[in-house]
Structure formats: C-alpha cells, structure tokens
C-alpha cells in the first residue's frame, strides 16, 4: 500500500522503449491534439486507479503524439537533447523532490548550485564570484538579469524601484541590437520597460558598435544595453569588446543574451566568437540548449551578487533563511525544483575537454550541413556558418517554403522554416549531443529528396 516507487518500473520500461525508438522513428508526431485528447479520455475517472496502470495508459496514449526532439535528426528551433547523465540526474531531482529555494532546507541542492555555478563561470570565462541563478529558461534568465540591471541603473540616480515601483521614475532607456531575440522584448515587457530601441545590425545580424556609440550619446540617464551571443538565424555574435567599452563609458548596464551561443566560450576553437563577453554586467544562457539537460533549465549570471539579490531577494518570517544567503535570492521563484543537479551531472560527465568537444562537434556538424547544402540545386546558404546555425534559401520564397513542407512530410529529419532578412528560409540548428555524422548524411539525403520532388 505504501510503495512510493510502485509506478517507476512501468515508467522505466516506457522510457527505454522511447529512447530505443529515437534512431528510427519518424521525427514528426504521428497523431495530432484532438486524437490525443480522445486517447487520454474525455471524462475524469470517478474512482482511483493503480499508479502503474495510470502510467501505462498515459505513456501508451501519448506515444504517437511525441515528436522525436531528442533524436539526432531534430534541428528545429534551438533544442538540445537529454544527455544520459542529465536525464538520470533529473529523475533523482523528481525522486528527491527538494524545494531548492533555501540553503538550510536543502543543503544538497544548495551545494550543487554552488559547485555547478562555479564550474559554469570557469567554463564560460565569466568573472568568478558572479551570482548564478537556475531558472526555467533563457527568457527568465534574461528577465532576472534585466531586472537586476533596471534596479541598479535607477539606484545610481537615487531611485529605489522596490520602494516606489516605476511610476514617476526617471526613464530607463534600453538599447538592443536590431536582431535581438524576441524574448528580450518579452522580458522588458514583464519589467514595465516597454519596447526597446533597436540599434542597426549588419548583414549577419551583429549589432553595429559605431551606431551604438552614437545612440548612447543621445541620453545620459539610466541606460541598459542588451547584446547577443548567438543569433538564432546566423549564429552571429555582437562585437563585445567595442560595444561593451562604449556602453560602460556611458555608465550603462550591459546584458548579454547568450541562450545557446555563450557556450562557444567553453571550446578553445570557438572562444574567439565570444571574445570580450566577460566585460558585461550580466549574462543569460540555457542549459537545455547547448548543454543538453532535459527541460527546463536556464541560467542567469550577474556580476554583482548584490544587484540580483536587491531585485530578486525576499523575506518571509516562516522561511528559515541562511545568513550566508539563499538560492532564492538569485531567481524570481520561491518554490522550484533543483535544476542545478542535471547541470552538475552533465558537466561532471563531460569534464572541461568533453564540453569543448561537444561544442566543437555541434558546430562541426553545422559546417558539414552548409557544405552539403551548397551542392543541392538552387540552394544558397545565407549566413556565415560560424557556430551551430544554418539558414538556407532555395530560390524564391514559395520554393523554399515548399522544400520545408516536403522535408517535414518525409519525416526523416526536422528543420523549421523562418523569415530572415525579408526572405523565407529553412533554418537548421545543431544542438543535440547525440547527432552523428551519419545523422547529418541521412538528413542531407532527406533534404535532397525534398528539393528533387519540387
Ligand atoms: C532560445 C532563446 C531564448 C529563449 O530561451 P528559452 O529557454 O526558450 O526561454 C532567448 N534568446 C536566444 C538567443 C535564444 O536562442
């Protein structure tokens, strides 16, 4: 009656079947929402069902509606897989069921945050002693960092946001590259800062540092500059050295959105892309992209721990606070899972060299895609493939959209369509640890079929 783990063997069996299917199953889902709703069952059961039977039904009902996102042939959006060490660690997180907010409540999760956080700073070349917060993703990492920046630039002009809010505050000007990620705008909206002012970008989507310098001249009040490490279309990096220097000279807070691209800094052969990035005030990245932990895990890094604590810290009389500080002071949530544990596991499994190899392998596969695609009739790779992203046109927009549609219908690989620089494109993002050279060849053949059946 009290076997807390009674359903786990059933989950293990379904999990192993799912993982074993990834190499051969079609990547797209085979059933759509309406059918899956039917399969789940329309009405709430009146009485109890055995936990194992529920798990068996759930897994069987949903199986056809799963997309093989952890497959080595999924290249949509920017989506990592789940590395074996991270996947198993994530199971422990659920079984241990720690509320990760308070050090004295969970020394285990707090210690793991400290170690995994320090390892990340080391690998990414960011200042030791920066605050590291484990959040749901890049969006909330941007939010956490930009909240710290907003409050700090206002504090410097004598305005206390936590006491007075934003009503009547001095204006905070936010400058972003024209091709920043849309979630930067979303985070700014959550923060009550409105739409940012775009600074022109070049043909790869890199912010123009000269234009930034000119824009900064126009206002000497509180300013935030948001840069990008890894453009979702081109993979390009903003010119950090120059941009950070001009921004800092004007007293601006500099934030870097490096959701997937910040990890270039962990690989000697790609570190030059992120050169100078360590000069910023805050950095957002994702562990569920390049680092390949299961959803969800983003990382918010703030150089000055006092700035993030001022923005995110809270006190409750019933909470047992630790004098040395608590993990909840670095993130928006109070209660949350112990996300640092899978991060620790994947970093320990790879080590410094393995992490560098992972990054180099992803970027190497992207380069192989670009070479293979250049051979296809009418195909044109539109970006300089500097990292893990490839953007392709197959002539006019209708033809490109047709290729994307036929590729998805073929089922061998998943690549998504987008619009970049005013043109329809096929986007490839190589972000999964398990992608092999054979996956790249199979996917190129699928693309060749999609082009040929035009
Ligand atoms: C994915 C991404 C984000 C958003 O991250 P989520 O983890 O999806 O919230 C932000 N910026 C960039 C550059 C991204 O690629």
């Amino acid at each position: 009656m009290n076997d807390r783990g009674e359903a786990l063997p059933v989950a293990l069996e379904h999990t192993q079947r799912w993982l074993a299917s990834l190499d051969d199953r079609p990547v797209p889902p085979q059933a759509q929402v309406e059918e899956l709703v039917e399969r789940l069952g329309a009405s709430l059961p009146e009485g109890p069902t055995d936990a194992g039977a529920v798990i068996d039904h759930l897994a069987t009902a949903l199986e056809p509606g799963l997309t093989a996102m952890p497959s080595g042939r999924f290249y949509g959006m920017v989506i990592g897989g789940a590395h074996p060490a991270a996947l198993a660690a994530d199971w422990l997180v659920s079984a241990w069921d720690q509320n990760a907010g308070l050090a004295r409540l969970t020394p285990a999760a707090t210690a793991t945050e400290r170690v995994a956080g320090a390892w990340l700073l080391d690998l990414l070349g960011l200042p030791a002693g920066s605050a590291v917060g484990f959040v749901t993703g890049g969006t909330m990492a941007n939010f956490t960092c930009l909240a710290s920046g907003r409050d700090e630039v206002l504090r410097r002009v004598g305005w206390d946001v936590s006491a007075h809010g934003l009503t009547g505050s001095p204006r905070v000007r936010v400058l972003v590259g024209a091709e920043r990620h849309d979630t930067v705008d979303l985070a700014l909206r959550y923060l009550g800062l409105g739409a940012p002012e775009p600074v022109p970008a070049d043909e790869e989507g890199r912010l123009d540092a000269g234009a930034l310098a000119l824009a900064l001249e126009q206002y000497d009040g509180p300013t935030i500059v948001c840069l990008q490490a890894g453009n979702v279309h081109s993979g390009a990096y903003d010119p950090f050295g120059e941009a950070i220097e001009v921004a800092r000279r004007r007293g601006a807070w500099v934030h870097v959105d490096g959701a997937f691209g910040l990890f270039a800094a962990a690989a000697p052969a790609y570190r030059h892309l992120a050169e100078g990035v360590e000069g910023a005030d805050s950095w957002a990245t994702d562990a569920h992209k390049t680092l390949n932990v299961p959803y969800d895990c983003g990382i918010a890094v703030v150089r000055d721990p006092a700035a993030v604590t001022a923005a995110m810290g809270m006190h409750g009389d019933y909470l047992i606070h630790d004098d040395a500080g608590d993990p909840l002071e670095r993130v928006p949530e109070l209660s949350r899972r112990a996300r640092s544990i899978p991060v620790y596991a994947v970093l320990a499994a790879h080590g410094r060299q393995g992490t560098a190899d992972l990054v180099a392998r992803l970027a190497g596969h992207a380069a192989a895609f670009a070479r293979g695609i250049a051979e296809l009739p009418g195909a044109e790779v539109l970006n300089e493939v500097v990292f893990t992203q490839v953007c392709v046109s197959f002539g006019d927009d209708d033809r490109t959209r047709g290729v994307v549609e036929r590729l998805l219908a073929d089922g061998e690989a998943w690549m998504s369509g987008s619009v970049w620089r005013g043109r329809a494109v096929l986007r490839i993002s190589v972000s999964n640890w398990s992608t092999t050279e054979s996956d790249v060849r199979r996917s190129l053949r699928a693309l060749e079929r999609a082009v040929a059946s035009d």
Side-chain angles (χ1 to χ4, degrees):
M1 199 49 232
N2 200 8
D3 181 2
R4 295 174 188 277
E6 70 173 78
L8 291 175
V10 186
L12 177 61
E13 197 192 315
H14 280 285
T15 301
Q16 282 173 334
R17 212 177 304 153
W18 161 249
L19 295 177
S21 77
L22 289 171
D23 279 344
D24 294 304
R25 69 187 288 132
V27 183
Q30 305 300 299
Q32 297 308 315
V33 175
E34 293 311 319
E35 183 188 338
L36 296 162
V37 168
E38 286 286 308
R39 289 170 67 100
L40 284 172
S43 54
L44 174 68
E46 289 301 327
T49 304
D50 171 76
V54 169
I55 297 308
D56 192 45
H57 169 67
L58 185 65
T60 307
L62 292 182
E63 203 272 348
L66 296 171
T67 300
M69 286 187 215
S71 136
R73 282 165 289 111
F74 185 93
Y75 310 104
M77 279 62 88
V78 183
I79 289 190
H83 183 276
L87 172 59
D90 202 59
W91 281 13
L92 289 177
V93 172
S94 290
W96 288 339
D97 200 19
Q98 303 290 291
N99 185 326
L102 294 162
R104 287 167 66 187
L105 200 54
T106 176
T110 307
T112 314
E113 283 205 8
R114 197 182 298 170
V115 173
W119 286 0
L120 283 167
L121 296 178
D122 178 4
L123 274 174
L124 299 175
L126 301 180
S130 300
V132 181
F134 292 84
V135 294
T136 51
T139 307
M140 289 312 286
N142 280 329
F143 170 81
T144 304
C145 292
L146 291 166
S148 308
R150 177 197 65 182
D151 291 9
E152 175 62 22
V153 294
L154 283 169
R155 194 177 301 115
R156 289 180 196 155
V157 294
W159 185 270
D160 179 352
V161 177
S162 56
H164 306 296
L166 292 178
T167 309
S169 78
R171 168 179 167 232
V172 177
R173 187 180 192 217
V174 185
L175 295 166
V176 297
E179 291 202 18
R180 80 285 183 188
H181 196 268
D182 299 299
T183 57
V184 169
D185 296 49
L186 184 62
L188 293 169
R189 204 182 330 141
Y190 295 162
L191 289 164
L193 293 177
E197 289 176 53
V199 173
D202 69 10
E203 71 285 356
E204 294 296 321
R206 290 175 294 235
L207 168 138
D208 176 339
L212 174 67
L214 287 177
L216 282 162
E217 304 272 311
Q218 295 156 3
Y219 181 65
D220 60 9
T223 302
I224 294 172
V225 172
C226 188
L227 305 175
Q228 177 167 257
N231 175 300
V232 286
H233 287 103
S234 66
Y237 291 70
D238 285 345
F240 300 116
E242 224 183 316
I244 292 174
E245 197 198 316
V246 292
R248 290 212 143 209
R249 214 184 301 139
R250 302 289 299 191
W253 175 282
V254 183
H255 171 63
V256 177
D257 174 9
F260 66 91
L262 204 55
F263 279 90
Y270 294 87
R271 193 170 293 153
H272 64 278
L273 293 169
E275 199 181 331
V277 79
E278 68 284 354
D281 296 289
S282 61
W283 306 263
T285 192
D286 261 323
H288 57 221
K289 291 180 178 172
T290 313
L291 205 52
N292 282 259
V293 307
Y295 286 100
D296 45 29
C297 186
I299 295 158
V301 180
V302 179
R303 175 190 291 273
D304 175 10
V308 69
T309 301
M312 294 293 153
M314 56 95 65
H315 178 85
D317 285 335
Y318 75 104
L319 303 174
I320 329 157
H321 292 282
D322 192 285
D323 293 340
D326 285 301
L328 64 78
E329 293 171 349
R330 302 187 282 269
V331 298
E333 301 91 350
L334 171 57
S335 299
R336 69 190 157 90
R337 62 195 274 109
R339 296 196 183 89
S340 59
I341 288 173
V343 172
Y344 173 92
V346 80
L347 292 176
H350 284 314
R352 190 184 303 279
Q353 186 61 48
T355 308
D357 292 347
L358 166 70
V359 170
R361 204 164 67 237
L362 300 176
H365 289 323
F369 265 118
R371 285 192 302 273
I373 287 167
E375 310 276 297
L376 299 178
E380 183 191 354
V381 175
L382 297 183
N383 65 312
E384 273 176 43
V385 181
V386 293
F387 197 49
T388 53
Q389 311 295 107
V390 186
C391 255
V392 191
S393 161
F394 294 90
D396 65 38
D397 287 0
D398 283 343
R399 181 162 188 259
T400 300
R401 280 193 283 262
V403 172
V404 176
E405 244 169 63
R406 289 191 296 277
L407 178 91
L408 293 178
D410 175 276
E412 177 85 343
W414 178 299
M415 299 168 184
S416 43
S418 182
V419 175
W420 188 47
R421 286 157 43 182
R423 293 174 76 175
V425 291
L426 171 83
R427 263 189 78 244
I428 297 171
S429 173
V430 188
S431 305
N432 189 308
W433 67 278
S434 73
T435 297
T436 60
E437 284 171 18
S438 151
D439 285 321
V440 173
R441 280 194 302 273
R442 281 170 67 179
S443 305
L444 278 168
R445 278 198 297 272
L447 198 49
E448 197 175 347
R449 289 194 291 278
V451 171
S453 61
D454 186 7

